[in-house]
Amino acid sequence: MNWTYRQPVAIRFGNGALTSLYDEITALGGRRGLLVTSPSFVKRGLAERVRDMSHGLIGHVYGAVSPNPDVTECDECTEMLRRHGCDFVVAMGGGSVMDCAKAAAAFCTADAPAAAYLGDGKPIPDAHLPLIAIPTTAGTGSEITSVAVLSDHARGIKAPLSADSMYPAVAIVDPELTYTVPPYVTACTGFDVLCHAIEAYWSRRHQPVCDALAVQAAGLVFEYLAAACENPSDHTAREKMAEASVTAGLAFAQPKTTSAHACSYPLTNMLGIPHGEACALTIDRLVRLNSSRGDIRTARLAGRLGFTDAGALADAIADLRERVGLRSDLRDLAITDTQFEALVEGSKHPNLLNNPVEVTDDDLRMMYAAMR
Ligand code: NAD
């Protein structure tokens, strides 16, 4: 088996790590920075605190990133980077903020709008501004990946873009920043971590370094996610979920995600289900599907996590999903036949081909029919 492992992002992890921001900016040689964040961090004053910590090196704030960021938000951010002649970017927020900022840091070096890269397939520029990523959820792992997921709501598209130019230079992972995440968002983002780990392990592009990271991350989620949801001030649970998030990010960065993520895109796009909850909806069903088709890596992962077989792993996932209060079906949404067909079609995202066994249209139909 031939494989490569590459991870260009420097990671600073730990409670209080945010205080290293100024040192990290100066190490990059940054002089005029833009802070990209979400409205809630502007309102809570954290954006201002971070600006202060930069001792004047962060001159401006783009504070309007919404969940599932639209290409137009990325364009606004790009425009600010150009207008202010910025030479570095700091992204502080969940995956939505980090993805928007990562894309803008690359797109600002060329002329095209973000929509041209999404769907139209224009190559992402090689040039980019250096970016410091500061995650505030324990979920996406975006702080260490080359992926940015953008939406073009006008065209009904949500899709990942990937290029080396979108790797952050540095990730500052400070678990204290996740203390304010409400239980429902903790549950959604925690399931995103679990799906990254499971999908990285069974991905067709799996490799041994990422396998080890995936097992470590999935184990932490089973041990600590419920505690982080049930007691948001359980600092150990928060720290361990932050560790799980960055570790799962490292696990899937190269093998990439597979079926649960492919299915999540139309579930979010069409039905508005948050990303992690959308992934959580199908992952136990996909564990059963893969193992019923004889995928030995699904069974091996179950064993490495201490379960007797893949069925027991799927049961544990469903139990955890219920315990943390995430939906297990689509019944309350009364989806129409047209929406049902669109869900099947939309799930045939390229990531589906990375699943260890073929997932056919009939498989998708059966899976979604069982949720209706
Ligand atoms: P998010 O960034 O959309 O944030 C969810 C909500 O939580 C928002 O309202 C946000 O303001 C709030 N929030 C964030 N941090 C908070 C905090 N500390 N306290 C209180 N509230 C807080 O959610 P997410 O799950 O982190 O990111 C989801 C996005 O990331 C999706 O678009 C998904 O497709 C994408 N994603 C990207 C990658 C990648 O590799 N780039 C991987 C997985 C998912």
Side-chain angles (χ1 to χ4, degrees), residues 44 68 94-96 99 136-137 140 142 145 147 158 177 180 189 275:
R44 282 163 207 236
N68 308 305
S96 296
D99 287 0
T136 60
T137 58
T140 66
S142 177
T145 72
V147 178
K158 173 174 180 174
L177 294 173
T180 50
T189 50
H275 175 71

Side-chain angles (χ1 to χ4, degrees), residues 300-314:
R300 196 173 294 155
L301 175 63
R304 289 185 71 177
L305 290 171
F307 297 103
T308 46
D309 55 24
L313 170 61

Side-chain angles (χ1 to χ4, degrees), residues 1 18 45 62 91 100 156 192 198 207 209 228 240 243 260 298 314 335 341-342 345 356 358-359 364-366:
M1 180 186 180
L18 183 60
Y62 178 76
C100 181
D192 195 17
I198 293 175
Q207 47 115 310
V209 174
K240 289 297 178 187
E243 179 187 323
T298 304
I335 59 172
E341 284 308 319
E345 276 310 304
E358 186 190 0
V359 181
L364 292 169
R365 278 207 176 83
M366 274 175 60

Side-chain angles (χ1 to χ4, degrees), residues 334-369:
I335 59 172
T336 63
D337 290 348
T338 312
Q339 284 177 314
F340 181 85
E341 284 308 319
L343 268 183
V344 172
E345 276 310 304
S347 298
K348 292 190 277 179
H349 181 274
N351 288 17
L352 196 62
L353 301 174
N354 203 20
N355 195 62
V357 304
E358 186 190 0
V359 181
T360 64
D361 286 16
D362 282 349
D363 293 329
L364 292 169
R365 278 207 176 83
M366 274 175 60
M367 186 174 74
Y368 288 127

